[in-house]
Amino acid sequence: MESPRQPNPVLIFEGIQAYQRSAALKAAIELEIFTAIAAGNRTADAIAKTASASTRGIRILCDYLVIQNFLSKNGGQYSLTPESAIFLDKKSPAYFGAAIGFLLDPRLLAAYLNLTEIIRTGKTLTEKGSVAPENPLWIEFARSIAPMMRPAAEEIATLVAGEGELRVLDIAAGHGVFGIAILKQNPKARVTAGAWANVLSVATENAKNAGVANRHTTRPGDAFDVDFGGPYDLVLVTNFFHHFDQQECERLMRKIFAALAPGGRCVTFDFIPNDDRVSPATPAAFAMNMLANTPSGDVYTFSQFENMFRNAGYASSKLHPLMKSPESIVISTKA
Amino acid sequence: MESPRQPNPVLIFEGIQAYQRSAALKAAIELEIFTAIAAGNRTADAIAKTASASTRGIRILCDYLVIQNFLSKNGGQYSLTPESAIFLDKKSPAYFGAAIGFLLDPRLLAAYLNLTEIIRTGKTLTEKGSVAPENPLWIEFARSIAPMMRPAAEEIATLVAGEGELRVLDIAAGHGVFGIAILKQNPKARVTAGAWANVLSVATENAKNAGVANRHTTRPGDAFDVDFGGPYDLVLVTNFFHHFDQQECERLMRKIFAALAPGGRCVTFDFIPNDDRVSPATPAAFAMNMLANTPSGDVYTFSQFENMFRNAGYASSKLHPLMKSPESIVISTKA
């Protein structure tokens, strides 16, 4: 008996052409289409004039964005979706369009043009991929990803910042927004931000802009080698463990353990899929990024994190999903 | 009042990263993952061994393909979806994985790395883009797209081939499968296939393989300049009009009109969206391909086709959706 559903070749055709969605979003953000529409330009002609672009180009681009649910269209007039209004209009406080600077950085994309070879050999294009020491890619990351991370950073701060004295170590801080959110939430907190020296200047600048520079200090260096100082009440490891294999993660967890005060907590912010490793879609799919651009990175389930933290000496680990992010946090406590 | 739906930044994050879907499908087709699974290899280890690839790479790739609905996963075992079983297993008669050769050709992808500039200027990267004379890209097209087009070609042949003598002109024939399907359906039909000389050899080879070479002749040259000969009872214009603006389309329609016998028909096979130009998704979205790689190409609605054919002298045009393709046909009749 045949399957009741007729197999649809269009699914595969659309999958093969999915790269066009990335390119269209990038072009629309760079041409500030969403900002132009928010400002009241509703027709292809008006948007093209505002964007100093060709009308045919804008018309086809905007129709494409409607098809992909990033715009709406009614009687030839374009309008924003709830998502594009909040996150892609430059005048919106939650704008994060700049994230394409990192997410579509040519140094990351190069791997996807060679993905077959990477999967065949199990090796990244360059020896250490995106985790090579002092990789300038992370300056782009620090600069362009901060706005995308702020909602999660604030949510985490609400959960862990408390009210009393709090000595915080922000590992591989990059843009620094996770530590900065804690400083803004708790006026008695102090943050030491670690990262490669070339990246830390971005965190320092963000701390200055947030008015918390006097409680924000830095310790430049590679997280695996640098002297953390301490002891700390709280260590933040945000978007970091996924770059490494389990052995390396455990090594870092031990080093953090040693820098924690008794009862101190390590907060892991990461893409954490279910045990099936294919759900929820966003955290599970993130593994592809690690395959493409790191020698041994991956996403880890909560069971895997729990196990690694236990091996590293922590008394307990708890999983907390977040409202404002597809990533979750694990809070691991030193007894 | 706030919208009842919480705006979800993940939609935008996933849109920006959509290019990974294309890269993953390409890698899976090139590594023959679907063929390996069809042959009974169900675990990452077994598939990696068959594909001579790294287990970590295959595991992350296969999980990603599950998330994107191109594989299923159950208890750590992978299996094919109805679509991947039919269209992506090399042993399946309907296999069309080779289509990535054209659809992901680096010469086409280059435009998407520069889409902002193309939209701004309204100009393709090279003066004529993919429609430059004798562009070798179309040899890759002719070679790799044929299997994807066969179901539609057969469906169209059923509609128009009839039983009697039939003189057919297959314009810009490429792989030639549309004319060849008519030759197989109607033993009294004769096809003249036109295309640039460098591409026509593929059509000739396909006609030979289909056992219809004795009724398949060629007329090399650019469709806009070549002498069509004739008269013909049927002219096929498949995947062609979308490369040109309406003025150019009408010019070609007139030239075809002159080559048609009285009562002859012109059959247009193309991506034809509704009047809103944003539905159905696949034909509407196809315009992006034309924006990226042609100076003035586009998708045309049936109203636009009807109007152009009327201007070119045709008595009537009728739209026929197809079961086996997201493209449709328009049959236009010379009075």
Side-chain angles (χ1 to χ4, degrees):
Chain A
M1 241 179 73
E2 288 212 340
S3 155
R5 182 164 73 94
Q6 184 80 359
N8 187 354
V10 165
L11 290 183
I12 294 165
F13 180 71
E14 288 187 345
I16 294 171
Q17 299 224 320
Y19 68 89
Q20 298 180 2
R21 200 173 309 178
S22 306
L25 266 176
K26 178 168 188 270
I29 290 168
E30 289 179 346
L31 293 165
E32 304 187 7
I33 300 304
F34 303 103
T35 313
I37 296 173
N41 302 285
R42 298 300 177 110
T43 64
D45 269 336
I47 300 163
K49 208 171 161 188
T50 306
S52 303
S54 73
T55 298
R56 167 176 169 265
I58 292 295
R59 172 177 57 77
I60 294 177
L61 175 65
C62 287
D63 281 343
Y64 184 87
L65 294 169
V66 172
I67 298 162
Q68 306 299 339
N69 296 315
F70 300 116
L71 288 180
S72 302
K73 186 182 186 185
N74 222 311
Q77 305 247 319
Y78 300 101
S79 55
L80 301 181
T81 61
E83 281 76 22
S84 54
I86 292 191
F87 303 116
L88 297 177
D89 166 15
K90 262 194 148 169
K91 300 240 165 83
S92 161
Y95 174 77
F96 65 58
I100 55 168
F102 175 75
L103 295 175
L104 298 177
D105 188 292
R107 288 165 290 195
L108 291 176
L109 294 189
Y112 293 89
L113 297 170
N114 295 279
L115 191 60
T116 303
E117 203 48 28
I118 288 171
I119 294 172
R120 204 188 305 273
T121 60
K123 287 183 179 151
T124 42
L125 292 184
T126 55
E127 198 193 333
K128 299 204 155 187
S130 66
V131 289
E134 309 281 331
N135 191 333
L137 175 71
W138 298 105
I139 302 174
E140 182 59 44
F141 172 83
R143 288 206 180 114
S144 72
I145 290 291
M148 199 178 223
M149 290 301 146
R150 247 171 225 129
E154 288 164 10
E155 191 177 353
I156 295 170
T158 311
L159 287 168
V160 302
E163 298 187 333
E165 304 274 339
L166 193 73
R167 297 160 297 180
V168 181
L169 174 64
D170 189 0
I171 286 182
H175 40 64
V177 304
F178 290 95
I180 291 165
I182 289 179
L183 293 175
K184 288 173 81 176
Q185 193 92 202
N186 176 348
K188 291 186 187 156
R190 298 189 157 272
V191 167
T192 303
W196 292 322
N198 63 349
V199 181
L200 264 186
S201 58
V202 183
T204 300
E205 197 185 316
N206 285 339
K208 225 174 268 174
N209 293 339
V212 296
N214 60 325
R215 292 180 287 129
H216 191 270
T217 55
T218 59
R219 271 188 182 255
D222 188 289
F224 287 90
D225 305 325
V226 72
D227 174 10
F228 284 153
Y232 298 98
D233 304 303
L234 195 67
V235 177
L236 304 173
V237 193
T238 61
N239 289 319
F240 195 59
F241 283 129
H242 55 239
H243 295 97
F244 309 102
D245 65 25
Q246 296 194 48
Q247 211 174 355
E248 293 168 299
C249 288
E250 278 190 29
R251 181 152 69 90
L252 185 62
M253 288 166 180
R254 277 196 191 89
K255 195 174 166 216
I256 293 167
F257 190 87
L260 276 174
R265 292 167 296 165
C266 176
V267 175
T268 299
F269 172 72
D270 220 314
F271 291 94
I272 303 179
N274 296 329
D275 284 341
D276 63 11
R277 305 191 66 80
V278 293
S279 71
T282 306
F286 188 79
M288 181 54 72
N289 293 278
M290 296 302 102
L291 170 61
N293 279 302
T294 69
S296 60
D298 209 334
V299 293
Y300 298 109
T301 64
F302 174 62
S303 316
Q304 290 178 306
F305 271 121
E306 197 176 29
N307 191 46
M308 289 187 274
F309 275 109
R310 191 186 307 116
N311 291 345
Y314 295 76
S316 70
S317 290
K318 276 191 183 152
L319 178 68
H320 299 259
L322 298 173
M323 300 288 295
K324 302 276 178 85
S325 173
E327 300 184 63
S328 306
I329 58 171
V330 173
I331 302 181
S332 305
T333 310
K334 181 171 183 168
Chain B
M1 241 178 72
E2 289 213 342
S3 154
R5 182 164 72 93
Q6 184 80 357
N8 187 354
V10 165
L11 291 183
I12 295 165
F13 181 71
E14 288 186 346
I16 294 171
Q17 299 224 320
Y19 69 89
Q20 297 180 3
R21 201 174 307 177
S22 305
L25 266 174
K26 179 169 188 271
I29 290 168
E30 289 179 347
L31 292 165
E32 304 186 7
I33 300 303
F34 303 102
T35 313
I37 295 174
N41 302 285
R42 297 301 177 110
T43 63
D45 269 336
I47 300 164
K49 208 171 162 186
T50 306
S52 303
S54 73
T55 298
R56 167 175 169 266
I58 292 294
R59 172 177 58 76
I60 294 178
L61 175 65
C62 287
D63 280 343
Y64 184 87
L65 294 169
V66 172
I67 298 162
Q68 306 299 338
N69 296 315
F70 299 116
L71 288 180
S72 302
K73 186 181 187 185
N74 222 311
Q77 305 247 319
Y78 300 101
S79 55
L80 301 181
T81 60
E83 281 75 23
S84 55
I86 293 191
F87 304 116
L88 297 177
D89 167 14
K90 261 194 148 169
K91 300 239 164 82
S92 162
Y95 174 78
F96 65 58
I100 55 167
F102 175 75
L103 295 175
L104 298 178
D105 188 292
R107 288 166 291 195
L108 292 176
L109 294 188
Y112 293 89
L113 297 171
N114 295 278
L115 191 60
T116 303
E117 203 47 28
I118 288 172
I119 294 172
R120 203 188 305 271
T121 61
K123 286 182 180 152
T124 41
L125 292 184
T126 56
E127 198 193 333
K128 299 205 154 187
S130 67
V131 289
E134 309 281 331
N135 190 333
L137 175 72
W138 298 105
I139 303 175
E140 182 60 44
F141 171 84
R143 289 208 178 111
S144 72
I145 290 292
M148 199 178 223
M149 290 301 145
R150 248 173 224 127
E154 287 164 10
E155 190 178 355
I156 295 170
T158 312
L159 287 168
V160 302
E163 297 188 332
E165 305 274 341
L166 193 74
R167 298 160 295 180
V168 181
L169 175 64
D170 189 0
I171 286 182
H175 40 64
V177 303
F178 290 94
I180 291 165
I182 288 179
L183 293 175
K184 289 174 81 176
Q185 193 94 197
N186 176 348
K188 292 186 186 155
R190 298 189 159 272
V191 167
T192 304
W196 292 323
N198 62 349
V199 181
L200 263 184
S201 58
V202 183
T204 300
E205 197 185 317
N206 284 339
K208 226 175 268 175
N209 292 339
V212 296
N214 60 325
R215 293 180 287 129
H216 191 270
T217 56
T218 59
R219 271 189 182 256
D222 188 290
F224 287 91
D225 304 326
V226 73
D227 174 10
F228 283 153
Y232 297 97
D233 305 304
L234 195 68
V235 177
L236 304 173
V237 194
T238 61
N239 289 320
F240 195 59
F241 284 129
H242 56 239
H243 296 97
F244 309 103
D245 64 27
Q246 296 194 48
Q247 212 175 356
E248 293 168 297
C249 287
E250 278 191 29
R251 181 151 71 88
L252 185 62
M253 288 167 180
R254 278 197 190 88
K255 196 176 166 217
I256 293 166
F257 189 87
L260 275 174
R265 292 167 297 165
C266 176
V267 175
T268 299
F269 172 72
D270 220 314
F271 292 94
I272 303 179
N274 296 331
D275 285 340
D276 63 11
R277 306 190 66 81
V278 293
S279 70
T282 305
F286 188 79
M288 181 53 72
N289 294 276
M290 296 302 103
L291 170 60
N293 278 302
T294 70
S296 60
D298 209 334
V299 293
Y300 298 110
T301 64
F302 173 63
S303 316
Q304 290 179 305
F305 271 121
E306 197 177 28
N307 191 45
M308 289 188 275
F309 275 110
R310 191 185 308 117
N311 291 344
Y314 295 75
S316 70
S317 290
K318 275 190 183 153
L319 177 67
H320 298 259
L322 297 173
M323 301 287 295
K324 301 278 178 84
S325 173
E327 300 186 62
S328 306
I329 58 170
V330 174
I331 303 182
S332 306
T333 310
K334 181 172 182 168

Coordinates of all heavy atoms in Angstrom, one line a residue, chain A residues 2 6 20 42 54 57 72-73 82 88 91 93 101 143 152 154 180 200 217 228 242 246 252 280 303 317 321 324:
Chain A
E2 N 0.5 2.2 -0.7 CA 1.2 3.5 -0.8 C 0.9 4.4 0.4 O -0.1 4.3 1.0 CB 0.9 4.2 -2.1 CG 1.4 3.6 -3.3 CD 1.8 4.6 -4.4 OE1 1.3 5.7 -4.3 OE2 2.6 4.2 -5.2
Q6 N 1.4 12.2 -0.6 CA 2.1 12.2 -1.9 C 3.5 12.9 -1.6 O 3.6 14.0 -1.2 CB 1.3 13.0 -2.9 CG 1.9 13.1 -4.3 CD 1.6 11.8 -5.1 OE1 0.9 10.9 -4.6 NE2 2.0 11.7 -6.3
Q20 N 19.1 31.2 -0.2 CA 18.6 32.5 -0.7 C 17.9 33.3 0.5 O 17.9 34.5 0.4 CB 17.6 32.3 -1.8 CG 18.3 31.6 -3.0 CD 17.4 31.4 -4.2 OE1 16.3 31.8 -4.2 NE2 18.0 30.8 -5.3
R42 N 5.7 52.3 1.9 CA 5.0 51.1 1.8 C 5.1 50.4 0.5 O 4.8 49.2 0.3 CB 3.5 51.3 2.2 CG 3.3 51.8 3.6 CD 3.8 50.8 4.6 NE 3.6 51.2 6.0 CZ 2.8 50.7 6.8 NH1 2.0 49.7 6.4 NH2 2.7 51.1 8.0
S54 N 17.4 49.9 -6.8 CA 16.6 49.8 -7.9 C 15.2 49.3 -7.5 O 15.0 48.5 -6.6 CB 17.2 48.7 -8.9 OG 17.1 47.4 -8.4
G57 N 14.7 45.5 -8.0 CA 15.4 44.8 -7.0 C 14.6 44.8 -5.7 O 14.4 43.7 -5.0
S72 N 4.7 41.6 5.5 CA 3.3 41.3 5.0 C 3.1 42.2 3.8 O 3.7 43.2 3.6 CB 2.3 41.6 6.1 OG 2.6 40.9 7.2
K73 N 2.1 41.7 3.0 CA 1.8 42.5 1.8 C 0.2 42.5 1.6 O -0.4 41.5 1.8 CB 2.4 41.8 0.5 CG 2.2 42.6 -0.8 CD 2.8 41.8 -2.0 CE 2.8 42.7 -3.2 NZ 3.3 41.9 -4.4
P82 N 5.3 41.3 13.2 CA 5.7 41.6 14.6 C 7.2 41.4 14.9 O 7.9 42.3 15.5 CB 4.9 40.6 15.4 CG 3.7 40.3 14.6 CD 4.2 40.4 13.2
L88 N 14.2 44.1 13.6 CA 14.9 44.5 12.4 C 14.8 46.0 11.9 O 15.4 46.4 11.0 CB 14.5 43.6 11.2 CG 14.9 42.1 11.4 CD1 14.4 41.2 10.3 CD2 16.4 41.9 11.6
K91 N 15.4 51.6 14.4 CA 14.9 52.6 15.4 C 14.3 51.8 16.6 O 14.0 52.4 17.6 CB 13.9 53.5 14.8 CG 14.4 54.3 13.6 CD 14.3 55.8 13.9 CE 15.2 56.6 12.9 NZ 14.5 56.9 11.7
P93 N 14.4 49.6 20.0 CA 15.4 49.4 21.0 C 15.9 47.9 21.0 O 17.0 47.7 21.4 CB 14.7 49.7 22.3 CG 13.3 49.9 22.0 CD 13.1 50.1 20.5
G101 N 26.6 40.5 10.9 CA 28.0 40.8 10.8 C 28.8 39.5 11.2 O 29.8 39.2 10.6
R143 N 31.3 42.6 18.7 CA 30.6 43.8 18.2 C 29.2 43.6 17.8 O 28.3 44.4 18.0 CB 31.5 44.4 17.1 CG 32.8 45.0 17.5 CD 33.3 46.1 16.6 NE 34.5 46.6 17.1 CZ 35.7 46.5 16.5 NH1 35.8 45.9 15.3 NH2 36.8 46.9 17.0
A152 N 18.4 37.7 26.9 CA 18.8 36.6 27.7 C 19.6 37.0 28.8 O 19.5 36.5 30.0 CB 19.5 35.5 26.8
E154 N 19.7 39.8 30.5 CA 18.8 40.4 31.6 C 18.0 39.3 32.3 O 17.9 39.4 33.5 CB 17.9 41.4 30.9 CG 18.7 42.7 30.5 CD 17.9 43.6 29.6 OE1 16.7 43.4 29.4 OE2 18.6 44.5 29.0
I180 N 27.7 42.4 32.4 CA 27.2 43.8 32.6 C 25.7 43.8 33.1 O 25.3 44.6 33.9 CB 27.3 44.6 31.2 CG1 28.8 44.8 31.0 CG2 26.6 45.9 31.2 CD1 29.2 45.2 29.5
L200 N 38.6 41.8 24.4 CA 38.1 42.4 25.7 C 37.8 43.9 25.6 O 37.0 44.4 26.4 CB 39.2 42.1 26.7 CG 39.0 40.9 27.6 CD1 40.0 40.9 28.7 CD2 37.5 40.9 28.2
T217 N 36.3 44.8 35.7 CA 37.7 44.7 35.4 C 38.0 43.5 34.4 O 37.1 42.7 34.2 CB 38.6 44.5 36.6 OG1 38.1 43.3 37.3 CG2 38.5 45.7 37.5
F228 N 42.8 32.6 36.7 CA 41.5 33.2 36.9 C 41.5 34.2 38.1 O 40.6 35.0 38.2 CB 40.4 32.2 37.1 CG 39.9 31.5 35.9 CD1 39.4 30.2 36.0 CD2 40.0 32.1 34.6 CE1 39.0 29.5 34.8 CE2 39.5 31.4 33.5 CZ 39.0 30.1 33.6
H242 N 30.3 24.8 23.9 CA 29.9 24.1 22.6 C 31.1 24.1 21.7 O 31.1 23.3 20.7 CB 28.7 24.7 22.0 CG 28.7 26.2 21.7 ND1 27.7 27.0 22.2 CD2 29.5 26.9 20.9 CE1 27.9 28.3 21.8 NE2 29.0 28.2 21.0
Q246 N 34.1 17.0 25.1 CA 33.7 16.8 26.5 C 34.9 16.8 27.5 O 34.9 17.3 28.6 CB 32.9 15.5 26.7 CG 31.6 15.5 26.0 CD 30.7 14.4 26.3 OE1 30.4 14.2 27.5 NE2 30.1 13.8 25.4
L252 N 38.0 22.5 31.8 CA 37.7 23.9 32.1 C 36.8 24.0 33.3 O 36.9 24.9 34.2 CB 37.0 24.6 30.9 CG 36.7 26.1 31.1 CD1 38.0 26.9 31.3 CD2 36.0 26.7 29.9
P280 N 14.7 20.6 21.0 CA 14.0 21.5 20.1 C 14.9 21.9 18.9 O 16.1 21.8 19.0 CB 13.7 22.7 20.9 CG 13.9 22.3 22.3 CD 14.9 21.2 22.3
S303 N 21.8 16.0 30.3 CA 22.5 14.8 30.9 C 24.0 14.9 30.7 O 24.7 14.5 31.7 CB 22.0 13.5 30.3 OG 20.6 13.6 30.1
S317 N 23.7 20.1 39.5 CA 23.4 20.9 38.4 C 21.9 21.0 38.1 O 21.3 19.9 38.2 CB 24.1 20.4 37.1 OG 25.5 20.5 37.2
P321 N 15.2 26.5 31.5 CA 14.9 27.0 30.2 C 14.7 28.5 30.3 O 14.4 29.0 31.4 CB 13.6 26.4 29.8 CG 13.4 25.3 30.8 CD 14.1 25.6 32.0
K324 N 13.4 34.2 26.9 CA 13.9 35.1 26.0 C 15.0 34.6 25.0 O 15.7 35.4 24.4 CB 14.5 36.4 26.7 CG 13.5 37.1 27.6 CD 12.6 38.0 26.8 CE 11.5 38.7 27.7 NZ 12.0 39.9 28.4

